[in-house]
């Protein structure tokens, strides 16, 4: 059955969905009420269609500016620098950071040919110079590339007279922001150190 | 972001997809190339739209008759009786059964009010009487309801003079056809016993 095979193949391409899971999901989907299935399909296409990147911070948004950049209650002069837009969600879950974000869209990785011009470092420097930023918290992952990126950015920003801090190593080395609980993440922000 | 929340909710409704997995998938989907996402969405709706049940055996099909019923190379006089259409796929993976199927669309379950008239037993009796069937292999799951259903069907079919067999108890008791490897399933067919 061609349509099922195609569906299994497409599901199997998603991260963490092996062939067995893809088959199980596909055979479940075809037994679901038709309207539920069409709503699932529509919500997939719709989310992709409507999501874009905030031109200020690089976060996901459905509107012109993202929810955080357009919120006047956020502390305007503190920026938290993260690797990608999903990290904003992990930080926000903590509910203890009230500043704004700057999404790099990647980290420096000489092995993969990703230099400073391939991620949003120039945009960060622009923001620090033009948005009266008093502190930049570097919250890239505590792995080799994340540390190297943080060091590089710190070196670029310090001459501008802004306070540059790094989230504390409460986070396990080699870890990933996605899998860290809110309390550890809160500690990591609390114990941030000067760079 | 409303569209993302909606997508996460819909993914979370799928079996085996918890909230964390739904979030991970949703945030992955919005970073995938647009055409890949639309193809995924289309294949979900399309599979549901095109799949129906074979009027002869009750298996899934996209055409008038299913692939197995319309295949003249299948042994015509042996029927394998399974609980639902997904079981046909698990049996076919074994590649050692060359007869045709009869999908019950459930098993007897007095607790849930599912009696003989709620599953396709009358249709099975019709087929045995009209399609020159020499053997019916009962391949319902080896759990309480599957065994009770097999016993009930055996009692109905034996007066018709057809050979009625049950797949062997090579399959672990309480198990489910979905999670059994091909070799065990092959042994279970090989060691089928008279009922």
């Amino acid at each position: 059955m061609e349509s099922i095979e195609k569906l299994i193949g497409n599901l199997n391409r998603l991260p963490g969905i092996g062939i067995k899971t893809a088959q199980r999901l596909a055979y479940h989907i075809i037994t679901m009420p038709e309207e539920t299935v069409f709503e699932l399909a529509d919500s997939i296409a719709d989310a992709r269609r409507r999501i874009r990147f905030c031109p200020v911070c690089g976060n996901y948004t459905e509107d012109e500016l993202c929810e955080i950049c357009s919120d006047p209650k956020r502390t305007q002069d503190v920026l938290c620098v993260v690797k990608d837009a999903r990290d904003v969600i992990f930080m926000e879950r903590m509910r203890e950071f009230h500043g704004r974000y700057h999404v790099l869209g990647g980290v420096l990785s000489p092995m993969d040919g990703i230099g400073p011009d391939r991620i949003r470092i120039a945009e960060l420097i622009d923001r620090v110079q033009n948005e009266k930023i008093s502190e930049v918290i570097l919250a890239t992952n505590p792995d080799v590339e994340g540390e190297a990126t943080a060091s590089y950015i710190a070196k670029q920003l310090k001459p501008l007279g802004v306070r540059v801090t790094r989230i504390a190593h409460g986070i396990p080395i080699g870890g990933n922001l996605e899998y860290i609980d809110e309390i550890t993440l809160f500690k990591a922000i609390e114990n941030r150190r000067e760079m």
Side-chain angles (χ1 to χ4, degrees), chain A:
Chain A
M1 289 173 294
E2 200 195 321
S3 66
I4 286 272
E5 293 307 321
K6 209 163 153 187
L7 174 55
I8 292 171
N10 284 334
L11 291 171
N12 189 206
R13 246 167 252 136
L14 294 172
I17 305 290
I19 183 72
K20 285 259 174 180
T21 306
Q23 287 171 340
R24 191 167 44 78
L25 289 174
Y27 287 112
H28 180 83
I29 285 168
I30 57 175
T31 60
M32 281 161 60
E34 212 164 17
E35 58 192 323
T36 313
V37 174
F38 293 165
E39 201 199 301
L40 169 65
D42 283 348
S43 68
I44 288 172
D46 198 50
R48 180 61 185 84
R49 203 180 284 119
R50 288 171 62 182
I51 289 296
R52 29 190 181 152
F53 292 106
C54 174
V56 174
C57 74
N59 186 17
Y60 295 126
T61 182
E62 285 181 3
D63 305 306
E64 180 54 28
L65 287 186
C66 80
E67 285 169 354
I68 294 164
C69 284
S70 57
D71 181 356
K73 287 196 295 277
R74 304 291 298 215
T75 308
Q76 300 292 308
D77 63 341
V78 179
L79 291 186
C80 178
V81 175
V82 291
K83 181 185 168 192
D84 55 47
R86 292 177 62 198
D87 290 332
V88 173
I89 298 140
F90 310 139
M91 291 298 291
E92 286 298 291
R93 268 190 219 149
M94 177 184 57
R95 294 164 186 273
E96 296 285 351
F97 175 70
H98 306 295
R100 294 182 297 151
Y101 292 91
H102 186 83
V103 177
L104 292 173
V107 281
L108 298 178
S109 177
M111 295 278 285
D112 302 318
I114 298 175
D117 53 320
R118 293 279 295 281
I119 61 178
R120 300 176 67 249
I121 292 179
E123 288 87 340
L124 175 61
I125 294 169
D126 268 0
R127 292 184 71 186
V128 168
Q129 286 173 325
N130 299 321
E131 294 179 22
K132 293 184 186 143
I133 304 301
S134 63
E135 177 176 359
V136 173
I137 303 173
L138 299 171
T140 50
N141 285 321
D143 52 20
V144 178
E145 292 170 350
E147 292 291 355
T149 306
S151 297
Y152 180 89
I153 293 174
K155 212 181 288 173
Q156 305 293 309
L157 294 182
K158 299 210 61 161
L160 306 178
V162 67
R163 187 179 172 210
V164 182
T165 56
R166 177 85 174 108
I167 50 170
H169 271 323
I171 310 175
I173 294 291
N176 187 306
L177 284 186
E178 178 168 3
Y179 301 106
I180 291 157
D181 62 276
E182 289 84 334
I183 294 151
T184 309
L185 207 49
F186 179 34
K187 288 280 171 222
I189 283 282
E190 221 177 24
N191 300 326
R192 64 189 184 271
R193 56 185 166 78
E194 298 290 334
M195 284 193 74

